[in-house]
Amino acid sequence: MPRLLLINPNTTEAVTHLLAQAARDTLAPSVAVTSVTAPFGAPYITGEHSLAVASHATLEARSRAMAEHGPFDACVIGCFGDPALQALGEVASEPVTGLAEASMRLAARRGPFAIVTGGHGWREPLRRLAFSIGLLESMVALETVDASGAQLKANPEWALELLGNACRAAIRAGQSAGHTPESVIVGGAGLFGYAAALQSSFSVPLLDSVLCGLELAAERLGSAP
């Protein structure tokens, strides 16, 4: 039975439960999922400082999970910013991905893509990540909203209006640059389900970062969701 480790790099247990439920609903029943929460750090990661702390916490969470449960066959970092992605890639024997990397890789299969997420502090980390995996040129627009992921999760009706406007702005930005996005990533663990809720208003596919992370992990496990 393939074994997946799902790490929540912030300290909010509700996000861990959300990620675990998404995995149970999405992955094949043959995949055994272990979900863990960062042992220290921010309740919600919002930018460079909390991302740096979360990188350490993510490494620690994996070490503790390995000590308690043994080796895994794949690992997903459940944060749209992928703290410790490169560091885990150096030390882990299993394939590791994060919500942002997985989303970008799957979106790039369709062509140029745009990203919408909560919190202006994510702009530079996401650009760095896109550059590090060779997809910066494929990312033709990046829209962040004033609200953080925590605020968006707490008020779904308001969040859908805000994110819908941001998706439209991202599509227009890509078009203005001469590269119409073939998909728009709605990024953030706390925003799970919002892409599906908005999809009927858009002709371009909206990709949920949580589902993308699970899909890429399933590919690497050799187990279709």
Side-chain angles (χ1 to χ4, degrees):
M1 175 179 288
R3 305 181 69 230
L4 173 69
L5 175 62
L6 190 54
I7 302 174
N8 172 19
N10 65 52
T11 61
T12 302
E13 290 284 353
V15 174
T16 307
H17 298 320
L18 179 152
L19 293 167
Q21 186 62 53
R24 287 192 292 270
D25 292 343
T26 302
L27 298 176
S30 60
V31 178
V33 178
T34 298
S35 57
V36 297
T37 307
F40 55 84
Y44 284 92
I45 303 163
T46 57
E48 298 283 10
H49 180 270
S50 50
L51 186 64
V53 176
S55 294
H56 182 191
T58 298
L59 292 168
E60 179 66 19
R62 179 183 175 275
S63 294
R64 294 185 184 187
M66 292 280 288
E68 183 174 353
H69 301 285
F72 294 89
D73 300 300
C75 174
V76 174
I77 302 168
C79 168
F80 196 70
D82 304 359
L85 178 66
Q86 287 81 12
L88 278 181
E90 286 185 355
V91 300
S93 57
E94 75 275 13
V96 178
T97 191
L99 303 189
E101 184 213 18
S103 299
M104 292 181 196
R105 292 197 184 280
L106 294 180
R109 295 177 184 178
R110 300 171 179 266
F113 62 86
I115 293 177
V116 167
T117 193
H120 297 315
W122 284 113
R123 295 188 66 84
E124 288 310 310
L126 289 171
R127 289 187 184 279
R128 286 200 306 271
L129 178 59
F131 176 79
S132 73
I133 61 175
L135 293 177
L136 184 58
E137 291 186 1
S138 297
M139 186 177 69
V140 296
L142 171 59
E143 289 288 325
T144 57
V145 299
D146 287 330
S148 67
Q151 292 169 321
L152 294 169
K153 184 176 184 296
N155 192 335
E157 184 176 346
W158 170 68
L160 288 172
E161 180 180 359
L162 198 63
L163 293 170
N165 290 336
C167 287
R168 283 183 277 273
I171 293 169
R172 289 195 300 270
Q175 291 171 337
S176 296
H179 301 285
T180 300
E182 297 295 332
S183 62
V184 178
I185 298 166
V186 180
L191 305 188
F192 173 60
Y194 285 4
L198 288 166
Q199 184 62 75
S200 63
S201 299
F202 293 87
S203 58
V204 62
L206 304 184
L207 306 184
D208 188 305
S209 65
V210 174
L211 295 181
C212 287
L214 294 171
E215 181 179 342
L216 190 59
E219 285 186 10
R220 293 173 174 178
L221 286 167
S223 175

